[in-house]
Amino acid sequence: MKRDPITTHVLDTSRGQPASDIPVSLSRCAGEFLEVLGSGHTDDDGRIMNGLVAEAGLEVGVYEIRFDVAGYFKQLSQT
């Protein structure tokens, strides 16, 4: 069965625009551990266009997406 890739779109609602250059990682939950499957940075539109992992690598399961928003707001000198 073909599954859709995992994608994301990050918006900075405090500024009313896409959030660019945010580090994002995708992990698969494996028991008590997380297995990192892919990572990237959002583009100028707040998206990761190629997805975080190849479509063939996805299985049914529980996934976690992490966003380094602390670094993003630090670059903007915001807390």
Side-chain angles (χ1 to χ4, degrees):
M1 172 188 281
K2 185 176 178 177
R3 306 217 186 280
D4 292 331
I6 295 176
T7 62
T8 186
H9 187 194
V10 184
L11 302 173
D12 180 342
T13 58
S14 68
R15 298 173 67 206
Q17 63 188 40
S20 63
D21 201 32
I22 292 184
V24 180
S25 65
L26 173 71
S27 300
R28 184 171 188 270
C29 299
E32 295 181 28
F33 302 98
L34 292 175
E35 174 188 1
V36 178
L37 301 176
S39 62
H41 286 75
T42 57
D43 62 14
D44 289 342
D45 193 35
R47 299 175 189 271
I48 297 181
M49 294 306 294
N50 295 327
L52 290 167
V53 297
E55 198 172 321
L58 297 177
E59 300 174 3
V60 173
V62 177
Y63 293 86
E64 176 180 283
I65 299 177
R66 289 188 180 204
F67 304 89
D68 182 7
V69 294
Y72 170 78
F73 285 113
K74 184 177 181 179
Q75 282 183 327
L76 298 174
S77 299
Q78 293 182 355
T79 56

